[in-house]
Each structure stands twice: as C-alpha cells, then as structure tokens.
Amino acid sequence: MTGTTHVLKLGGGAGVDHTRTLRNLAQRIQRGECWVLVHGTSAAANDLAQQVGYTVQTITSPGGHTSRYTDARMIEIYCAAAASVNQRLTAELAGLGVRAVGLAGPTVISARRKEAIRALRNGRPVLVRDDFSGAITGVDGDVLEHLLESGVTPVIAPVALGAAFERLNVDGDLVAATVAHALDADTLTILSNVPGLLRDVDDPGSLVAQFGLNELARYEPLAQGRMKKKLLAAQAAGVARVILADSRLDDPIDAALAGAGTHIVNEVRHVEHAF
C-alpha cells in the first residue's frame, strides 16, 4: 500500500476522553490522512459485568503483568462490551463525517488461546486452564489495506479468533502494535488517561519525554500496571515512532504528534525512512 499510515489505540479505561480524540481524528482523516483505530474495552466490560452481577477478576503473571481473567462467562460479557464500544465509536466517527467500518468481532485478528497460564494467586504460583485469553499470532492486513485504499477507516475491537474458532480476549495495545507492524505504519499513537511514562506515577511532571527503542530495557522498570503492556506494544510494533500520550488534552492526537507524551523512537526505522 502506498502512502503513510498511522495507527491510533484509544484506551478503554475509565477517564479516557473519547470525544476529543474522535473529533481530532476526524479532522485529520478529512485532511487526507490514513488512520486505523483500535480501541480498548476494559471499563465497558467492567461496567457490564457489574450490571449482570458478575465479579471481575484479574490474573497477575510472575513478571508482574496484570490481565483480565476471562472464563466462559466473562468472554460473553467482554465480547458484548467490545461490540457496544465498537459500534458507538464507529457511529460517532460517521457523525463527524468519516467513512468508518466497525470490526467488532473476531474478524481480522488471530490468536492462540493461552491454555495454561502461569500466574500468582495469593503470592503462590498456579496454572490457570479455563481462560479465554489469547496471544496474538497475526492480523489480516489485506482486509485492512483494502478498506484503507477504499477511503474507509477501520475501527478494531480487541477480540481475536482462536485456532478452534473460539473468541478470545486479546490486549488492545498489542492489537494496535500488530496492526501497525503489519501495515508498516509510520506512527503508533497510544492515548490513555495518563501523560505517558512517568518516573514517579504520582508526579505528572516526571514525564519521560523521549528515548530510543534500543533503550527500552533501561526504562522498563519505571512502568507500572498497564504501562508495562504499552512498552511491550512499542517493542512489538517496530515502527519509526510510538507515542504514549494523554487523551484528555485538547486535540490530543495533534498534541501527541507535536511532542506531547513519551516518544519511543526506532532509530533503525528512521534510517530506513531516510532513503
């Protein structure tokens, strides 16, 4: 595919500003830019689970990564929430004059089910065998390229298709990274409810403004909670620039591309783009 493609991951956590982001995204698309939107589902899934009286649980890996425990009941709730968010975002973009198509189901992302997850429960190691979470194995780039070439903006939910044709919960940041890699995107922008990578999570002024992808190991210890997955996504994307920024700013995409947030620069890709 010719031209520059950008991938935007819009977080699904509480406090993420969808309205400002979608308005800014529509403006950029209407100026002729090419974007893929990937969204999260966490807050919507939590809210729906609470409405139906189902307790939300998490799994913590030995390395400290936290993820949603998605048993047979929770995958139903999760997929329903993902579809609702996907439809709402797609409709809002349409209302802003963007030709968008919602990919709410296990449409373009494939994954391998994690059939035995090593986790810590009450500080003790256990194996979780009834989880419907997946490790992403691929993306149907041909479908996405066809949509983009037709002037349509894909809106992708974090739901994947497993080898046994089951629906799987997959991490939205890693979905966005996989899409960015498959489309050879110029930039992956991840907007959430924090300013970026902070040296002190309680001090917004401690923002790490920029570092090279080859320095990732040096900055990984600063990552807490969901930020750990965002750094994994930066590594998986392998694009020229990954930006971790705040959705709550005015025109948050413009602000991120102009320097707000944490910019993770792949020097190798910059050299490649120079020729």
Side-chain angles (χ1 to χ4, degrees):
M1 187 175 68
T2 59
T4 300
T5 300
H6 303 275
V7 175
L8 172 65
K9 162 62 191 327
L10 181 57
V16 174
D17 195 318
H18 288 182
T19 301
R20 293 184 187 187
T21 302
L22 292 180
R23 187 184 304 121
N24 194 190
L25 178 62
Q27 292 167 348
R28 299 191 73 98
I29 291 171
Q30 288 162 351
R31 292 201 297 264
E33 293 183 359
C34 191
W35 286 81
V36 176
L37 173 61
V38 178
H39 65 82
T41 302
S42 57
N46 292 346
D47 290 345
L48 183 56
Q50 184 177 30
Q51 290 172 25
V52 301
Y54 200 76
T55 302
V56 174
Q57 300 180 61
T58 58
I59 295 172
T60 302
S61 73
H65 293 278
T66 300
S67 60
R68 180 182 301 276
Y69 171 50
T70 315
D71 61 6
R73 178 65 175 129
M74 192 63 213
I75 192 64
E76 297 291 340
I77 296 169
Y78 177 86
C79 289
S84 178
V85 173
N86 189 271
Q87 293 164 12
R88 179 168 57 82
L89 296 180
T90 303
E92 287 187 35
L93 283 174
L96 292 166
V98 174
R99 292 179 64 206
V101 61
L103 303 173
T107 311
V108 294
I109 306 298
S110 57
R112 172 184 50 79
R113 184 180 173 188
K114 301 175 183 178
E115 296 182 348
I117 301 174
R118 296 185 183 278
L120 297 176
R121 183 170 290 163
N122 298 323
R124 303 184 64 179
V126 296
L127 280 179
V128 179
R129 298 185 182 275
D130 62 347
D131 190 81
F132 285 86
S133 295
I136 298 169
T137 55
V139 57
D140 192 337
D142 290 343
V143 168
L144 297 178
E145 288 184 357
H146 176 73
L147 290 170
L148 293 170
E149 288 168 356
S150 301
V152 177
T153 299
V155 182
I156 304 173
V159 178
L161 185 66
F165 306 105
E166 73 273 51
R167 295 166 299 166
L168 297 175
N169 161 21
V170 285
D171 182 80
D173 293 329
L174 294 178
V175 168
T178 305
V179 169
H181 184 79
L183 297 179
D184 193 27
D186 184 73
T187 304
L188 167 59
T189 303
I190 300 177
L191 297 181
S192 64
N193 55 2
V194 295
L197 179 63
L198 302 174
R199 289 184 169 84
D200 179 351
V201 293
D202 296 319
D203 179 10
S206 67
L207 179 73
V208 178
Q210 180 173 310
F211 61 90
L213 186 62
N214 60 346
E215 300 177 281
L216 191 63
R218 174 183 171 189
Y219 289 93
E220 277 180 326
L222 298 176
Q224 304 294 320
R226 287 290 313 163
M227 188 56 65
K228 291 177 180 288
K229 284 285 176 66
K230 298 185 192 313
L231 293 188
L232 283 176
Q235 187 173 36
V239 298
R241 179 171 52 158
V242 175
I243 306 172
L244 313 177
D246 199 331
S247 67
R248 300 167 297 179
L249 304 176
D250 291 331
D251 298 322
I253 302 172
D254 291 353
L257 293 173
T262 299
H263 289 232
I264 304 172
V265 180
N266 187 344
E267 298 293 348
V268 174
R269 287 296 302 274
H270 273 305
V271 170
E272 289 176 355
H273 285 186
F275 292 95

